[in-house]
Amino acid sequence: MKKPTLLVLAAGMGSRYGALKQMDGVGPAGEAILDYSVYDAVRAGFGKVVFVIRHSFADDFRAVFNAGRFGGRIEVDYVFQELDYLPAGMTVPEGRTKPWGTNHAVMMGAKAIDGPFAAINADDFYGRDAFAKIGGFLRPAEGHRGEYCMVGYRLANTLSEHGSVSRGVCEVDSEGYLRSMVERTAISRTADGQIEYEADGKHFPLDDDTVVSMNFFGFTPDYFMHSYDFFETFYRENRENMRSEFYIPLMVNRLVNSGEASMKVLPTDSQWFGVTYKEDKPEVEARIRALIAAGEYPEKLWK
């Protein structure tokens, strides 16, 4: 049985954070959030981690996140996402500076992954249970095609105390498979305790137990082929839109709606947290300390 691979999307520049947040220490021994993701992946039976990064900070990133850091417990590889890394015949439109999006980042992993894999964001904390669930799905998935999965979080476990958030709100059928995923913005909890989102100037309620995506997906390698094929359509239709992005949910919805793939939703009670602004860091550090105190993680993760 082939061990799954963890694909970490770490090419973001952290403009709102003011630094490369994927490398910023939040643990007692200077561990970054992604250290905890790799640690949880090792516990869940993953055998390799592939980091999607940029050439501009590659030397600094590799110096920190290498096989030596993880004590040889997991194989480490790196791939690069750049604006001009496009399929043959495509060029970067004049004036475009915005990256192509999360699913373009996933596409970069094709050269380093030949088996089942999970994709995550580098700056999100997903929780031990989430990795255990997705690892359990992917470990026996070698040779399968079109049988994907995602971790489904309770909306109440993904809110921020510092402002509104955007989440992929999921519709799940009676057998636990995704029907659709819709991006909802400006989600927050009101003074009377109701969660709601805003759209077109109006407010709509959401239940605490609403299933949402936090970009923690599991795929088999055929997903790369689907992504490259559909990127041609995306590129043709959005070439002149300088802010368009090729997101993972866009690709997932297309495959689910066409019947080319299924997406099993794996529910978790894990608490998500992450860093967007510098102001988020103290809260993340406090949450990490609480998890260590509860015995979820050792105080020094890799020692």
Side-chain angles (χ1 to χ4, degrees):
M1 184 182 299
K2 189 178 185 66
K3 290 185 176 182
T5 294
L6 181 66
L7 181 67
V8 181
L9 310 187
M13 299 300 289
S15 57
R16 288 180 291 178
Y17 189 70
L20 291 173
K21 56 185 175 180
Q22 58 268 51
M23 298 176 63
D24 202 9
V26 295
E31 298 93 344
I33 284 180
L34 69 82
D35 276 301
Y36 291 92
S37 292
V38 174
Y39 188 85
D40 283 335
V42 171
R43 292 198 286 192
F46 285 71
K48 181 177 180 180
V49 58
V50 177
F51 296 108
V52 184
I53 58 176
R54 294 191 186 187
H55 289 285
S56 60
F57 58 80
D59 290 344
D60 290 339
F61 191 95
R62 283 171 151 170
V64 174
F65 297 109
N66 52 55
R69 182 181 183 90
F70 307 128
R73 301 185 204 182
I74 191 167
E75 182 184 350
V76 177
D77 202 353
Y78 313 87
V79 296
F80 296 92
Q81 181 188 22
E82 301 291 350
L83 197 59
D84 59 348
Y85 283 18
L86 297 170
M90 301 181 193
T91 58
V92 179
E94 184 177 355
R96 176 152 188 138
T97 58
K98 191 174 186 63
W100 292 105
T102 52
N103 208 66
H104 178 256
V106 169
M107 289 161 57
M108 301 302 101
K111 63 186 70 175
I113 298 173
D114 61 1
F117 68 99
I120 64 167
N121 297 329
D123 54 354
D124 288 334
F125 182 95
Y126 292 98
R128 179 178 184 174
D129 180 68
F131 277 92
K133 294 281 180 60
I134 208 164
F137 186 96
L138 292 176
R139 284 195 302 273
E142 184 178 6
H144 295 195
R145 296 174 61 88
E147 297 176 13
Y148 309 147
C149 66
M150 60 167 282
V151 178
Y153 286 79
R154 291 182 67 245
L155 176 57
N157 289 345
T158 73
L159 299 180
S160 170
E161 296 181 2
H162 301 294
S164 64
V165 298
S166 297
R167 297 288 179 255
V169 174
C170 300
E171 182 184 356
V172 183
D173 69 18
S174 60
E175 296 182 347
Y177 287 91
L178 182 72
R179 284 181 173 171
S180 66
M181 191 183 329
V182 179
E183 184 76 3
R184 298 299 186 193
T185 60
I187 300 174
S188 61
R189 194 182 290 277
T190 64
D192 62 3
Q194 174 64 56
I195 301 176
E196 62 181 26
Y197 71 92
E198 183 179 348
D200 299 323
K202 299 179 181 180
H203 295 268
F204 303 89
L206 288 169
D207 189 80
D208 280 32
D209 291 329
T210 298
V211 178
V212 296
S213 164
M214 299 305 300
N215 265 1
F216 194 176
F217 294 97
F219 301 110
T220 45
D222 54 288
Y223 186 76
F224 293 124
M225 175 195 67
H226 289 303
S227 296
Y228 273 93
D229 287 347
F230 187 58
F231 187 80
E232 295 185 15
T233 300
F234 170 85
Y235 177 86
R236 185 174 61 253
E237 294 177 350
N238 295 277
R239 190 179 189 281
E240 303 305 319
N241 181 355
M242 299 302 168
R243 300 197 61 79
S244 60
E245 293 190 59
F246 189 39
Y247 292 120
I248 297 172
L250 176 67
M251 188 71 235
V252 166
N253 274 332
R254 180 190 180 279
L255 292 173
V256 169
N257 291 337
S258 68
E260 295 174 84
S262 63
M263 175 69 66
K264 183 71 172 179
V265 179
L266 310 174
T268 184
D269 287 327
S270 288
Q271 292 270 346
W272 168 94
F273 53 88
V275 288
T276 300
Y277 304 98
K278 276 288 186 182
E279 292 76 13
D280 295 323
K281 185 175 178 180
E283 181 182 348
V284 169
E285 291 173 326
R287 290 200 181 195
I288 293 292
R289 288 195 300 270
L291 288 167
I292 292 171
E296 284 290 309
Y297 301 95
E299 186 169 357
K300 294 183 178 180
L301 207 57
W302 301 114
K303 296 179 182 179

